Amino acid sequence: MAEGRLVIGTQRYSSWSLRGWLAVRLAGLDVDVQVVPLAGAGQTTALKTLSPNGCVPYLEHRGAVVWDSLSIAEYCAEHHAFLWPTDPVVRAWARSVAAEMHSGFRAVRSALPMNLGRNRPLATPLGEDVHKDIARINAIWTEGVGRGGPFLCGQGMGNVDAMFAPVVCRFLSYNVPGLSAAAHAYMQAVRHHPLMEAWYTAAAQEPVAWQLDMYESLA
Ligand SMILES: N[C@@H](CCC(=O)N[C@@H](CS)C(=O)NCC(=O)O)C(=O)O
């Protein structure tokens, strides 16, 4: 019997869920995964009584109840120390950019919603605020990979990469311009990590009835 459960949303769309799921899988926690189809715009009734904040990802593990992707990442790091870099200087950087991701980049989030079924740029030009976010993310990725790569803090995927993984999905889906060669290499490393392959495969197998017009009809 599993030691708990991780509840996530529609894998095609749920960027926060992808973060939590990656951290849990990287840490090797023995939990059952439950997928709840999202209604969009924060209207998923089933979640309102399920998790303390009415959101996914939501983790129950060995009696601990954990919500919010960043605290799930921290919880997972307690079980698998290498989810954050061992070098304190690199760890400080990793935590800072993970927090920056968690609390920022709103322009990218709202203009480029995660949709793993999408593979074309937006019909309309990106706004200045979106370009500003892209430039900052490009700088973070270029700096991180500059340490040797292929991931942001070295050879293995860790919490910092889990936090940025949905951004990789968005940038690939919308073929975002203005990224360095290092950033492109980073996106390929993330996209082809076995856990990401598994996530994309599961997303492609979700029922068509779970697809939401608000994302699918975005020109
Ligand atoms: N800051 C939270 C955000 C979680 C969040 O907003 N999750 C969305 C799904 S991606 C959600 O559960 N929305 C509620 C709903 O669809 O009703 C985290 O990092 O986990």
Side-chain angles (χ1 to χ4, degrees):
M1 197 173 131
E3 294 181 312
R5 65 170 177 160
L6 174 70
V7 186
I8 58 175
T10 311
Q11 289 177 264
R12 188 179 178 93
Y13 305 129
S14 187
S15 54
W16 303 102
S17 295
L18 172 56
R19 296 185 172 115
W21 181 87
L22 280 172
V24 163
R25 285 289 182 245
L26 287 167
L29 301 193
D30 175 21
V31 292
D32 290 329
V33 174
Q34 225 176 297
V35 186
V36 174
L38 297 180
Q43 297 303 314
T44 316
T45 318
L47 295 182
K48 301 309 160 212
T49 49
L50 185 100
S51 62
N53 64 346
C55 289
V56 282
Y58 166 64
L59 174 68
E60 292 170 358
H61 181 248
R62 295 183 189 165
V65 169
V66 199
W67 62 97
D68 193 287
S69 57
L70 188 55
S71 65
I72 291 174
E74 291 292 0
Y75 179 83
C76 290
E78 290 175 14
H79 293 265
H80 185 74
F82 297 103
L83 285 183
W84 292 119
T86 46
D87 181 310
V89 173
V90 183
R91 191 163 65 246
W93 181 86
R95 279 206 160 106
S96 298
V97 297
E100 186 178 346
M101 174 69 250
H102 197 60
S103 62
F105 302 121
R106 285 175 208 285
V108 154
R109 278 187 194 153
S110 87
L112 309 172
M114 185 167 121
N115 178 354
L116 301 191
R118 183 178 178 117
N119 194 12
R120 67 194 150 85
L122 287 179
T124 48
L126 300 173
E128 192 134 322
D129 50 349
V130 182
H131 279 296
K132 204 171 150 208
D133 278 359
I134 293 170
R136 174 64 189 141
I137 292 165
N138 183 56
I140 291 169
W141 290 357
T142 305
E143 182 182 355
V145 172
R147 286 194 194 91
F151 295 100
L152 291 184
C153 294
Q155 296 198 337
M157 184 183 262
N159 271 344
V160 67
D161 305 293
M163 295 306 291
F164 280 99
V167 184
V168 169
C169 300
R170 291 164 199 248
F171 283 11
L172 289 172
S173 280
Y174 296 91
N175 195 13
V176 157
L179 302 175
S180 69
H184 279 288
Y186 174 63
M187 292 200 297
Q188 289 309 314
V190 171
R191 174 64 187 86
H192 296 296
H193 187 282
L195 288 175
M196 290 295 286
E197 296 283 10
W199 181 276
Y200 268 82
T201 299
Q205 290 168 353
E206 286 175 337
V208 175
W210 289 9
Q211 291 183 14
L212 299 173
D213 200 46
M214 60 184 290
Y215 300 128
E216 300 303 328
S217 65
L218 192 64

